Amino acid sequence: MHNAAGTQILTLTGLRFDANLGILAHEKIAPQPIQVDAELNLGTQPLSPRDDDILHVLDYRKVRQIIIDECCSDHVNLLESLIGKLAQRLMQLPGVLGVRVKIAKLEIFDDCEVAIRVETGQW
């Protein structure tokens, strides 16, 4: 019997927390709010998992914690440096074929949000 399958994408959207990021004087002394959106391509997966066990899937609690940990570890001057580091870390997770990640600075300007988005791996 043929089992139906489909491409599975794990997404975390609108994750907000404070990170040590930026080159401006006030950015160096205090963390600022950022928002992270991430999509992880898990490739072809059966529509009916082999069982209902968390150990056999990528735990999104772990993904969330990795994002927070990577963005809060050290002060980073550039958004480009931070997002590159985060994308590489997420690509190392088991079963992840591709990563799309966006980091936005929420309070750098009054009239707009500034963000960088990176796509790597297979999509």
Side-chain angles (χ1 to χ4, degrees):
M1 190 176 117
H2 179 67
N3 285 337
T7 301
Q8 198 172 88
I9 313 288
L10 173 63
T11 65
L12 276 82
T13 307
L15 178 58
R16 291 178 177 226
F17 53 91
D18 290 344
N20 295 305
L21 174 67
I23 59 169
L24 303 177
H26 69 274
E27 294 180 307
K28 296 243 186 217
I29 54 172
Q32 64 177 296
I34 63 170
Q35 177 173 304
V36 179
D37 300 319
E39 291 179 73
L40 308 182
N41 178 12
L42 304 177
T44 303
Q45 300 289 335
L47 295 184
S48 300
R50 58 183 173 153
D51 54 36
D52 207 25
D53 191 335
I54 186 66
L55 297 176
H56 298 145
V57 296
L58 181 56
D59 189 341
Y60 47 75
R61 294 171 300 182
K62 184 177 172 186
V63 175
R64 175 184 169 274
Q65 198 56 55
I66 284 170
I67 293 170
I68 294 169
D69 291 348
E70 284 291 323
C71 292
C72 294
S73 57
D74 302 306
H75 186 281
V76 177
N77 287 332
L78 301 178
L79 199 51
E80 291 84 349
S81 302
L82 181 59
I83 201 167
K85 189 174 73 141
L86 179 56
Q88 284 181 312
R89 179 68 184 87
L90 293 173
M91 278 295 291
Q92 290 167 3
L93 288 167
V96 173
L97 303 180
V99 168
R100 287 185 182 127
V101 64
K102 174 183 161 189
I103 303 179
K105 285 186 172 186
L106 300 176
E107 292 183 358
I108 200 74
F109 296 120
D110 293 334
D111 55 0
C112 66
E113 168 191 294
V114 176
I116 290 187
R117 190 167 183 271
V118 162
E119 181 175 306
T120 187
Q122 298 171 35
W123 284 96

